Amino acid sequence: MINIILNDRDSFYRLGMQTLFSALFPAEFDNRIAFTHHLNPQSVAVADVIVMGLSHGEISICHPVLHARKQNSLIIGLYEGNAPPHCDPLPLCFKNIIFVNRTEPLPAIKKRFLRSWENCRILPMIPRQWKCQDCRHKTLSPQQINVANHYYQGATAEQISQILCISIKTVFTHKRMIMGKFNLHSDYQLFTLFNVIKALNNDTPDFLTAHRELKRA
C-alpha cells in the first residue's frame, strides 16, 4: 500500500496528480494506492508522498503537522511563477522536497518524481526526531510581530506608528525586513503568508507569536 496526500486548493490539479500517480505505481504496488486530501498528523504519519500547494514564503516557515513525517517520505511542493521557492537551508520539515511548477508538463514531472522517489527509498533524508530549536525556519522579532499583527488587522503605517510610538519610517523598515526575510514582493503575498501562518496555528488571535525569534545557544 502506498499512501498519498494531495493537499491543494485546485481540485482539477488534484485530479490530474491522482491520475498521474495511479499510472505510475500500479505495477509495483498492485493498484493499492490510498489518496486523501487531508493534511493532519494522522495522515502525514503514514504518507509516502505529500503533495502541497505552496504560497510565497511558505517554504521558510515551520509546519508542525509535518513533524510526523516518515523518514523516507517525499514532498512535492507546487508553486506558481517563474522561479521555484528558495530557502537555504530548508526547514527540517521540508527535507526531501521537489518543487513542481503548476505549468510544468506531466512528462517532466514524472521523470523528476521517479528519480527522487528512488533516492528517498535508498537513503532517508529526514532525521528520526528533531526539535524546532534545531531547525533553521524563518522567524520574526518581537517588534516585527507587533508591526505584522497591526498590518494584518488593517491598520495603516501611520496608525501603527502612533500605536507603537515609533516613526513611520521605522514601520516601513520593519515591513521591508519581514518581506525580505520571506522573499515576498507584494502586499498580497505578505497577507497570503499571514493567512497560512494563521491556519497553521489553528486560527488563534495571536497566531504570529509562534514565529518569534528564538535565542540560539
Side-chain angles (χ1 to χ4, degrees), residues 117-141:
W117 173 259
E118 292 174 359
N119 290 339
C120 75
R121 296 294 98 184
I122 298 171
L123 182 63
M125 296 182 64
I126 60 175
R128 290 186 180 275
Q129 296 179 342
W130 74 79
K131 298 179 181 179
C132 288
Q133 291 85 345
D134 301 326
C135 184
R136 298 297 298 273
H137 63 273
K138 300 293 178 66
T139 54
L140 300 176
S141 71

Side-chain angles (χ1 to χ4, degrees), residues 83-98:
H86 176 74
C87 182
D88 186 24
L90 282 168
L92 292 174
C93 50
F94 277 115
K95 289 294 185 181
N96 205 18
I97 186 173
I98 59 173

Side-chain angles (χ1 to χ4, degrees), residues 64-148:
V65 69
L66 295 180
H67 290 191
R69 283 182 62 195
K70 296 165 60 175
Q71 270 199 300
N72 57 354
S73 62
L74 179 66
I75 292 184
I76 297 178
L78 306 176
Y79 72 95
E80 297 177 350
N82 297 325
H86 176 74
C87 182
D88 186 24
L90 282 168
L92 292 174
C93 50
F94 277 115
K95 289 294 185 181
N96 205 18
I97 186 173
I98 59 173
F99 296 109
V100 170
N101 192 295
R102 291 183 181 277
T103 63
E104 197 166 341
L106 285 178
I109 297 175
K110 176 180 177 181
K111 182 178 180 181
R112 290 201 294 120
F113 171 76
L114 289 176
R115 182 171 61 248
S116 299
W117 173 259
E118 292 174 359
N119 290 339
C120 75
R121 296 294 98 184
I122 298 171
L123 182 63
M125 296 182 64
I126 60 175
R128 290 186 180 275
Q129 296 179 342
W130 74 79
K131 298 179 181 179
C132 288
Q133 291 85 345
D134 301 326
C135 184
R136 298 297 298 273
H137 63 273
K138 300 293 178 66
T139 54
L140 300 176
S141 71
Q143 191 70 314
Q144 288 171 352
I145 288 173
N146 290 333
V147 171

